[in-house]
Amino acid sequence: MDRIIVEGGHRLQGQVTISGAKNAVLPVLAATLLTAGRNEIHNVPGVRDVTTMLHLVQELGAVGDHIKGDRVTLDTAGVNNPVAPYDLVSTMRASCLVLGPLLARLGEAKVSLPGGCAIGARPIDLHIKGLEALGADITLEKGYVHGIAKQLKGTHHIFDSVTVTGTMNVMMAAVLAEGETILENCAREPEVGFLAEVLNASGAKIEGAGSDKIVIQGVTSLKPINCRILPDRIEAATYMIAAAITGGDVEVLNCNPSHLEAINLKLREAGVGLEERDNSLRVQGNGELLPVHIRTHPYPGFATDVQAQFMTLMTLAKGRSLITETVFENRFMHVAELKRMGADIVIEGHTAMVTGVEQLSGAPVMATDLRASACLVLAGLVADRDTVVSRVYHIDRGYQDMDKKLSQLGAAIRRVR
Ligand code: EPZ
């Protein structure tokens, strides 16, 4: 089990390059199941969730490789197995993204129900309702979602509530359905729009993705996918906060500032200097941090995946901040660990009240999910002694080389086995 040891007190400066977005590459890997040829995906991040999804699509019959660095090739001509096994799905909830493509490609899908995870129960009822609206006959048996669909038919479906992967799953299934599908109350995350662009480049007919209403004209087949994954906006936000909290001066390269507007607004409110360029952002912390109230919300609101990292920043602000988590029911697992480092945080329901302190103190800490782990590393950057973050596999699920990228910016950070 790896651990990361951070020695606090080092101001970050220099440049950091953002990798491809984990939450864009996972649906694209699932989308390759809709094609029957040799797909090529560039700018793929070297993170554990990508490896898991690759194993899953290979289990389903794809033949592929994650070529050194950032390229994945996948030949999906031989996809013939509709069963996504528990041992793979249970390690990564996003595996449920193969449901829609399998139903569309093979007419059948048998996907283990994803277990809950630390941040909440995370059911997939909204995915199932959308796929049933397309004509799939879905039953739950022995922990598996089993769907049959001779031929999916276009429909008009309104999601009960906003779901990112639910929107993606149903959109992918609708691409090969007969006739027109209208989806409303869709997720507007940039990764949804990106997935639609990739599918349209392979012959799909999708309009409106990125807005809350998506219209899809079904087609009979798709050409193989060839694309370059867009930058990871959550990784970018994480390093921006790392620069801000250390009072540093960092250029975040290969990011898309327009995907970070809600975050940038709140960082500016907190007194952080931000200069936006076409595909980079310069972040200057000038020491004094001001308290800011945030409420997480589906895009374009403040991303829930940046909530924990922003809370770390607010533990040192001059005053009181309110942080309300509206997307997941249990995404304050990092609070207890931050308090062990000396943060002053009180939780009332879905709101955390953070009162700034002078200094955090290093401690052995552990996290329960990807973003909580990242927030503890950020806290370690400014704590007065060493912070030892264990269960680092959470970080490796979604951040490529975080310790290397931070040490290149001047952090005193090392990974120990
Ligand atoms: C995606 O998860 C992301 N994962 C999450 O990032 C992110 O936190 C989340 O969207 C919200 O932005 C990927 O894209 C792989 P949802 P997803 O369906 O799609 C409830 C990370 O750190 N819900 O939008 O699973 C659900 O429980 C991860 O990279 C249902 O009730 O999130 C949650 O409360 C963490 N029924 C809310 O909706 C459903 O069928 C939003 O979930 C589906 C969701």
Side-chain angles (χ1 to χ4, degrees):
M1 258 327 175
D2 286 8
R3 289 177 303 161
I4 282 184
I5 301 174
V6 195
E7 178 199 292
H10 301 267
R11 193 173 164 274
L12 298 192
Q13 45 191 1
Q15 296 183 334
V16 62
T17 299
I18 298 305
S19 306
K22 161 181 88 81
N23 292 348
V25 71
L26 297 179
V28 167
L29 289 173
T32 62
L33 299 169
L34 294 167
T35 77
R38 190 176 180 284
N39 302 270
E40 211 167 288
I41 306 160
H42 298 258
N43 197 33
V44 175
V47 295
R48 184 191 289 253
D49 277 5
V50 168
T51 311
T52 304
M53 185 59 97
L54 260 183
H55 287 164
L56 177 54
V57 292
Q58 287 165 335
E59 171 82 20
L60 303 174
V63 177
D65 214 354
H66 189 176
I67 295 153
K68 286 283 155 281
D70 71 351
R71 194 154 59 93
V72 162
T73 62
L74 265 179
D75 187 329
T76 49
V79 168
N80 58 2
N81 170 20
V83 184
Y86 174 75
D87 61 326
L88 275 174
V89 175
S90 60
T91 61
M92 183 182 68
R93 186 182 176 289
S95 311
C96 65
L97 279 164
V98 301
L99 253 176
L102 283 175
L103 279 172
R105 171 75 185 275
L106 301 180
E108 184 180 10
K110 202 168 174 192
V111 178
S112 165
L113 263 173
C117 71
I119 61 179
R122 302 187 72 185
I124 57 168
D125 55 310
L126 300 176
H127 299 232
I128 291 170
K129 279 171 91 170
L131 295 170
E132 284 174 333
L134 284 168
D137 185 18
I138 295 182
T139 53
L140 300 184
E141 46 198 57
K142 299 194 192 84
Y144 277 76
V145 176
H146 187 197
I148 303 276
K150 291 269 168 303
Q151 169 61 54
L152 294 171
K153 293 214 176 345
T155 184
H156 182 182
H157 179 66
I158 302 174
F159 286 98
D160 293 356
S161 63
V162 173
T163 162
V164 177
T165 48
T167 300
M168 293 170 167
N169 229 337
V170 181
M171 180 172 79
M172 286 189 282
V175 161
L176 296 184
E178 217 166 62
E180 178 178 79
T181 296
I182 298 173
L183 302 177
E184 297 199 71
N185 200 19
C186 297
R188 296 185 277 170
E189 270 66 7
E191 293 76 23
V192 175
F194 176 76
L195 176 62
E197 274 168 41
V198 167
L199 290 168
N200 283 343
S202 290
K205 293 189 170 53
I206 305 171
E207 286 177 15
S211 79
D212 62 356
K213 179 174 179 180
I214 300 176
V215 181
I216 302 134
Q217 305 302 330
V219 294
T220 50
S221 67
L222 288 183
K223 296 193 309 291
I225 285 168
N226 192 321
C227 70
R228 179 174 178 75
I229 298 296
L230 85 168
D232 191 322
R233 59 195 169 94
I234 307 300
E235 185 194 20
T238 305
Y239 289 110
M240 289 163 65
I241 292 173
I245 201 168
T246 59
D249 183 351
V250 171
E251 268 208 285
V252 179
L253 305 177
N254 183 35
C255 69
N256 184 335
S258 68
H259 292 163
L260 288 154
E261 281 173 12
I263 312 294
N264 295 349
L265 209 63
K266 291 298 176 181
L267 284 173
R268 288 195 172 100
E269 244 184 82
V272 176
L274 282 184
E275 267 172 60
E276 296 185 18
R277 299 171 185 148
D278 284 353
N279 59 2
S280 69
L281 266 159
R282 183 176 177 191
V283 187
Q284 291 173 292
N286 46 24
E288 180 86 355
L289 284 169
L290 305 173
V292 169
H293 301 330
I294 62 162
R295 286 176 67 84
T296 64
H297 196 272
Y299 194 88
F302 191 100
T304 173
D305 290 349
V306 183
Q307 180 256 106
Q309 302 90 310
F310 201 87
M311 186 182 288
T312 297
L313 186 67
M314 291 295 100
T315 63
L316 297 176
K318 295 271 173 290
R320 201 159 266 176
S321 308
L322 294 178
I323 296 179
T324 303
E325 172 57 57
T326 70
V327 177
F328 288 106
E329 66 265 29
N330 184 29
R331 204 169 195 178
F332 281 150
M333 307 284 277
H334 44 286
V335 170
E337 294 300 283
L338 286 172
K339 288 171 76 166
R340 292 182 55 244
M341 296 179 72
D344 177 351
I345 306 171
V346 174
I347 296 179
E348 188 64 45
H350 290 284
T351 297
M353 183 172 67
V354 184
T355 307
V357 294
E358 277 307 306
Q359 167 89 54
L360 294 176
S361 53
V365 289
M366 71 167 73
T368 50
D369 74 271
L370 165 59
R371 309 303 174 185
S373 302
C375 98
L376 295 174
V377 172
L378 297 185
L381 294 174
V382 288
D384 66 350
R385 287 190 304 276
D386 279 3
T387 297
V388 182
V389 183
S390 50
R391 295 190 186 174
V392 170
Y393 57 84
H394 286 303
I395 292 182
D396 295 339
R397 288 192 54 175
Y399 288 95
Q400 178 166 340
D401 303 331
M402 176 183 266
D403 44 322
K404 291 198 188 86
K405 291 189 179 185
L406 284 172
S407 52
Q408 276 160 9
L409 289 170
I413 181 168
R414 66 186 193 283
R415 180 187 283 256
V416 292
R417 295 245 161 244

